[in-house]
Amino acid sequence: MNNFTFQNPVKLIFGKGSIAKLAKEIPADKKIMVTFGGGSVKKNGVYDQVVAALKGRDFVEFWGIEPNPKIETLRKAIAQGKAEKVDFLLSVGGGSVLDGTKLIAAGIPYDGDAWELVLDEDKIGEVVPFGDVMTLPATGSEMNAGAVISNLATQEKFAFHHSFPQFSILDPEATFSLPPFQVACGIADTFVHVMEQYLTVTGVSPLMDRWAEGILQTLIEIAPKIRANQHDYDQMANFMLCATMGLNGFIAMGVPQDWATHMIGHELTALHGVTHGQTLVVVLPALMSVMREQKKGKILQYGERVFGIREGSEDERIDRTIRATEEFFRSLGLATRLHELQIGQDTIDEIVRRFNERGSRLGEAGNITGDVTRRILELCK
Amino acid sequence: MNNFTFQNPVKLIFGKGSIAKLAKEIPADKKIMVTFGGGSVKKNGVYDQVVAALKGRDFVEFWGIEPNPKIETLRKAIAQGKAEKVDFLLSVGGGSVLDGTKLIAAGIPYDGDAWELVLDEDKIGEVVPFGDVMTLPATGSEMNAGAVISNLATQEKFAFHHSFPQFSILDPEATFSLPPFQVACGIADTFVHVMEQYLTVTGVSPLMDRWAEGILQTLIEIAPKIRANQHDYDQMANFMLCATMGLNGFIAMGVPQDWATHMIGHELTALHGVTHGQTLVVVLPALMSVMREQKKGKILQYGERVFGIREGSEDERIDRTIRATEEFFRSLGLATRLHELQIGQDTIDEIVRRFNERGSRLGEAGNITGDVTRRILELCK
């Protein structure tokens, strides 16, 4: 096992009716800015619950943080936060609203332009404390310090890591009315988060392996039930718990990580606005194929333990495991090929150009270069 | 899934050479009291590493916190801490030293007798901050807020829950020279911690089930390797990680818990000084037998997923699963019957008398009364 340091201070408040517990998590003297997405929380009752919980408190609202939150939008929120002397942020929405709020939290006390903080997290100094009501299980942002921000002007999408939420409130009932495509992408995003921390080499930590496999097995078990009935409280609760546990460091202790699928997927979003989870399921099976020699032992273990694939030669089992992975993604109703998303050769060329320009060397072994990325993307066509 | 709140702020610093990172976790202006057990850390090099890491810092030492730490010893440490105006505690040793240190931390700022804090944790006010160097994987105390304290005068042993360590340093190399019996008891303790949080009812949280099973499977996998070679770094690292993850709340989210085995085991320690892990493996198989109807679904799931027991009637599978559990404990070289520990009928009678007097109703359903406890203990003879 590799040496590691782990700390995750987030207070999770989980379950039916938990939004009502909101106010006592925020000190009474705080000037709060509540951040929102496009307005779905007004339809599903979450907005009303939040306003009821904040009754008598000093708060302003900022609306309009979009999926793949844009620096252009967040600059406006930062300006409002500075003007109103906001000293607590409450994100109400999905991972994009929360990711955006993480940058707002760092941007309010910062004198320069907030995009500089995305490009260089060492520039982040003081941060406005923040919490969240999470309504879309997917990113795991509710229990980690990361955020991914997009820049429309430069068509770029980058991650930064700095501050944890002080608390995260997760009420599975808030997920009942989500669009099924968003739920499918959330399941896919969670699945691939786990794969990024798991599908590297064997034998480093049997416990972390079992825990990663446990999330994957659970997702495969609950996905069809959720697709059949999004109002099944227990299944949506299981999904929320998987999403949070999938990217909070719990399965990453002492093990190597990959993240190449995410890096390639971010480019597809940056260039075409494709939903994040949807990009991942296009890239992952192809990446598994191209990296099959290096990842051989782990693909075989994953195939056996997660899909029960035990018969045949190693090559046959690897083929079947990659196919089973793609079939699971298709069972979610998602596309798994670039042409289904109307993405063509020019995008492949542009991504490879960018990776070559940046000198990217991705993956657990640092050997997924621009040229390897081309082989992966050619396989996704 | 049940509603829950989860927060665990402990900073884990894990791996080879990590004791050297100690000093920067403790503010420079602190007056430190370092707490120790009986002296084994002087033989395995841990003491020298701690003293080297604290070079130039203001610290005093307190020696002699025994296994199942006694209030009588801890009162002396509290008196020394008050006299020396100690404002940071560093526990160096196993779970008993750390459990004792948790009470010292609460006892130094407290005006009354510290045993009152064990009996009523609401009396705990300010607490001296503390961290630890953990040398014996077992109790999970390094990543939870609990402690178990014994009272020689009254022959009682009770748990209290209050404060987390600020940091825990886990270097697997510190475990190489542990007595094999202590390692066996640590494996058993970890195993039963997981069972207390797992072996209740089915279908509450598939993810928590998988994670609990993941720890059990890992322990079964690594135990013979550890018994063969306690200097195998990776296996001792796996064991340390399992012990910490087994009782830090990670597998307890939204699920019921049992803890009757522990409550009964604590009495065996209080009355006879039997090592904690040793008491648990005597009680658990008998408790499974007596509670087999109530726990039926979970015993079958555990048997299938952890021991691969799939053939036969439900009753046969339950019998085989209980036998497999006892055999695993015996494979650790531990006794699984009371007579092997020279404990007889008078102890059974005394434990039942105590439980009846306290009106104990233990277990996930609150139905393990004194009389049910008698049936369990009669089966352990």
Side-chain angles (χ1 to χ4, degrees):
Chain A
M1 206 183 310
N2 302 329
N3 282 8
F4 67 89
T5 299
F6 170 90
Q7 187 171 33
N8 189 322
V10 177
K11 181 174 183 180
L12 273 193
I13 303 166
F14 191 104
K16 214 175 283 201
S18 53
I19 297 174
K21 299 172 187 166
L22 177 58
K24 71 172 185 186
E25 301 301 325
I26 306 176
D29 60 345
K30 293 291 183 188
K31 169 79 177 216
I32 306 162
M33 182 157 82
V34 191
T35 52
F36 297 99
S40 61
V41 293
K42 285 213 169 164
K43 292 178 203 137
N44 64 12
V46 169
Y47 175 78
D48 291 339
Q49 291 180 65
V50 168
V51 169
L54 291 179
K55 197 176 169 189
R57 305 295 288 272
D58 186 11
F59 70 94
V60 295
E61 301 181 6
F62 180 85
W63 286 86
I65 300 178
E66 60 279 269
N68 308 304
K70 308 284 181 298
I71 185 66
E72 291 81 0
T73 305
L74 302 175
R75 284 183 185 125
K76 292 179 203 163
I78 290 167
Q80 184 179 341
K82 284 178 194 270
E84 308 249 19
K85 300 197 188 310
V86 163
D87 59 2
F88 202 97
L89 293 165
L90 176 66
S91 164
V92 177
S96 290
V97 178
L98 179 52
D99 278 12
T101 302
K102 287 178 181 178
L103 187 64
I104 300 168
I108 289 176
Y110 184 65
D111 283 334
D113 177 54
W115 185 247
E116 298 169 16
L117 304 177
V118 178
L119 296 179
D120 181 5
E121 60 206 35
D122 288 343
K123 289 190 174 165
I124 299 175
E126 195 195 331
V127 172
V128 173
F130 59 97
D132 62 275
V133 175
M134 174 52 59
T135 60
L136 201 178
T139 66
S141 190
E142 63 275 16
M143 206 170 178
N144 66 46
V148 188
I149 308 295
S150 295
N151 187 320
L152 267 183
T154 59
Q155 284 199 307
E156 288 172 318
K157 183 177 179 183
F158 293 125
F160 76 101
H161 298 82
H162 195 271
S163 307
F164 289 95
Q166 294 203 338
F167 62 84
S168 290
I169 293 179
L170 285 77
D171 182 344
E173 291 189 327
T175 69
F176 288 177
S177 59
L178 286 169
F181 175 71
Q182 292 297 337
V183 172
C185 284
I187 294 171
D189 195 11
T190 302
F191 196 95
V192 181
H193 285 159
V194 175
M195 292 293 271
E196 300 278 25
Q197 300 164 85
Y198 167 72
L199 205 77
T200 58
V201 296
T202 57
V204 179
S205 169
L207 179 59
M208 293 291 102
D209 281 2
R210 298 271 185 202
W211 280 15
E213 289 152 2
I215 301 178
L216 300 175
Q217 289 167 309
T218 303
L219 289 170
I220 290 169
E221 184 183 323
I222 66 178
K225 299 178 191 168
I226 286 173
R227 301 274 298 160
N229 176 15
Q230 250 183 237
H231 286 68
D232 182 332
Y233 179 86
D234 275 328
Q235 300 315 324
M236 295 310 272
N238 292 332
F239 172 29
M240 273 200 128
L241 194 61
C242 285
T244 305
M245 298 300 127
L247 195 52
N248 60 358
F250 286 22
I251 61 167
M253 298 184 204
V255 296
Q257 302 186 36
D258 182 337
W259 295 104
T261 298
H262 268 70
M263 294 301 108
I264 299 169
H266 284 343
E267 297 299 323
L268 295 171
T269 300
L271 294 166
H272 292 276
V274 181
T275 302
H276 174 59
Q278 171 62 85
T279 69
L280 302 175
V281 303
V282 170
V283 177
L284 180 65
L287 182 137
M288 289 170 71
S289 288
V290 171
M291 304 306 290
R292 63 188 287 153
E293 269 311 301
Q294 181 175 306
K295 290 179 183 287
K296 185 177 183 169
K298 209 57 172 279
I299 295 176
L300 290 166
Q301 177 180 321
Y302 157 71
E304 178 174 339
R305 293 193 186 172
V306 175
F307 292 110
I309 295 169
R310 291 184 187 84
E311 310 289 317
S313 70
E314 288 191 343
D315 268 340
E316 285 164 358
R317 280 182 281 153
I318 291 172
D319 286 338
R320 288 178 56 204
T321 300
I322 296 171
R323 214 156 51 231
T325 305
E326 185 171 352
E327 278 161 14
F328 172 64
F329 295 148
R330 293 202 81 86
S331 80
L332 300 174
L334 296 174
T336 57
R337 299 299 162 121
L338 288 173
H339 71 83
E340 299 175 88
L341 304 169
Q342 284 78 51
I343 293 175
Q345 190 65 42
D346 50 339
T347 297
I348 297 177
D349 294 341
E350 170 60 12
I351 294 173
V352 173
R353 190 195 65 72
R354 286 179 168 200
F355 280 11
N356 282 334
E357 187 178 273
R358 292 180 203 149
S360 300
R361 300 189 67 87
L362 306 174
E364 72 273 15
N367 57 359
I368 301 186
T369 58
D371 289 346
V372 177
T373 302
R374 179 180 296 283
R375 289 172 52 207
I376 293 168
L377 286 168
E378 294 286 346
L379 261 188
C380 303
K381 289 203 282 193
Chain B
M1 205 184 309
N2 303 329
N3 282 8
F4 68 89
T5 298
F6 169 90
Q7 188 170 33
N8 190 322
V10 177
K11 181 175 184 180
L12 274 193
I13 303 165
F14 192 103
K16 213 175 284 199
S18 52
I19 296 173
K21 299 174 187 165
L22 178 57
K24 70 172 186 188
E25 301 301 325
I26 306 175
D29 60 344
K30 294 290 185 188
K31 169 78 178 214
I32 307 163
M33 182 157 83
V34 191
T35 52
F36 298 98
S40 61
V41 293
K42 285 213 171 163
K43 289 177 207 138
N44 64 13
V46 169
Y47 174 78
D48 291 337
Q49 291 180 64
V50 168
V51 169
L54 291 179
K55 197 177 168 189
R57 305 296 289 271
D58 186 10
F59 70 94
V60 295
E61 301 180 7
F62 180 86
W63 287 87
I65 301 178
E66 59 279 270
N68 308 303
K70 309 284 181 297
I71 184 67
E72 291 81 0
T73 305
L74 303 175
R75 283 182 186 125
K76 292 179 203 161
I78 290 167
Q80 183 179 343
K82 284 178 194 270
E84 308 249 19
K85 301 197 187 311
V86 162
D87 58 3
F88 202 98
L89 293 164
L90 176 67
S91 163
V92 178
S96 291
V97 178
L98 180 52
D99 278 12
T101 303
K102 287 179 180 178
L103 187 65
I104 300 167
I108 288 176
Y110 184 67
D111 283 335
D113 177 56
W115 185 246
E116 297 169 15
L117 304 177
V118 178
L119 297 179
D120 180 4
E121 60 206 33
D122 289 343
K123 288 190 176 165
I124 300 176
E126 196 194 333
V127 172
V128 173
F130 59 98
D132 62 275
V133 174
M134 174 52 59
T135 60
L136 201 177
T139 67
S141 190
E142 63 276 17
M143 207 173 177
N144 65 46
V148 187
I149 308 295
S150 295
N151 187 321
L152 267 183
T154 59
Q155 283 199 310
E156 288 171 320
K157 182 178 177 182
F158 293 126
F160 75 102
H161 298 82
H162 195 271
S163 306
F164 290 93
Q166 294 203 339
F167 63 84
S168 290
I169 292 178
L170 286 76
D171 182 344
E173 290 189 327
T175 69
F176 287 178
S177 59
L178 286 168
F181 175 71
Q182 291 299 336
V183 172
C185 285
I187 294 171
D189 195 11
T190 302
F191 196 95
V192 181
H193 285 159
V194 176
M195 293 292 271
E196 299 278 25
Q197 300 164 84
Y198 166 72
L199 204 77
T200 58
V201 296
T202 57
V204 179
S205 170
L207 179 60
M208 293 291 102
D209 281 2
R210 298 271 184 201
W211 279 15
E213 290 152 3
I215 301 177
L216 301 174
Q217 289 166 308
T218 303
L219 289 170
I220 290 169
E221 184 183 322
I222 66 179
K225 299 178 191 170
I226 286 173
R227 301 274 298 159
N229 176 15
Q230 250 182 237
H231 286 69
D232 182 332
Y233 179 86
D234 275 328
Q235 301 314 325
M236 296 310 273
N238 291 333
F239 172 29
M240 274 200 129
L241 194 61
C242 285
T244 305
M245 298 300 127
L247 196 51
N248 60 359
F250 285 22
I251 61 167
M253 297 184 204
V255 296
Q257 301 186 39
D258 182 336
W259 294 105
T261 298
H262 268 69
M263 293 303 108
I264 299 169
H266 284 342
E267 297 300 322
L268 295 171
T269 300
L271 293 166
H272 292 275
V274 182
T275 301
H276 174 59
Q278 171 62 83
T279 69
L280 302 176
V281 304
V282 170
V283 177
L284 180 65
L287 182 137
M288 289 171 71
S289 288
V290 171
M291 304 307 290
R292 63 187 288 152
E293 269 310 300
Q294 180 174 308
K295 291 179 182 290
K296 183 178 186 169
K298 208 58 171 279
I299 295 175
L300 289 167
Q301 177 180 319
Y302 157 71
E304 179 174 340
R305 294 192 184 172
V306 175
F307 291 110
I309 295 170
R310 291 183 187 85
E311 310 288 316
S313 70
E314 287 190 344
D315 268 342
E316 285 164 358
R317 279 182 282 155
I318 290 172
D319 286 339
R320 287 179 55 204
T321 300
I322 296 171
R323 213 155 53 230
T325 305
E326 186 171 352
E327 278 161 14
F328 172 64
F329 295 148
R330 293 201 82 86
S331 80
L332 300 175
L334 297 174
T336 57
R337 299 300 162 121
L338 288 173
H339 72 83
E340 298 175 90
L341 304 169
Q342 285 79 51
I343 293 175
Q345 190 64 42
D346 49 341
T347 297
I348 296 177
D349 295 341
E350 170 61 11
I351 293 174
V352 172
R353 191 196 64 73
R354 286 178 167 201
F355 281 11
N356 283 334
E357 187 179 272
R358 293 178 202 151
S360 300
R361 299 189 67 87
L362 305 174
E364 71 274 13
N367 57 1
I368 301 185
T369 59
D371 289 346
V372 177
T373 301
R374 179 180 296 284
R375 289 173 51 209
I376 293 168
L377 286 168
E378 294 285 347
L379 261 189
C380 303
K381 288 202 284 195

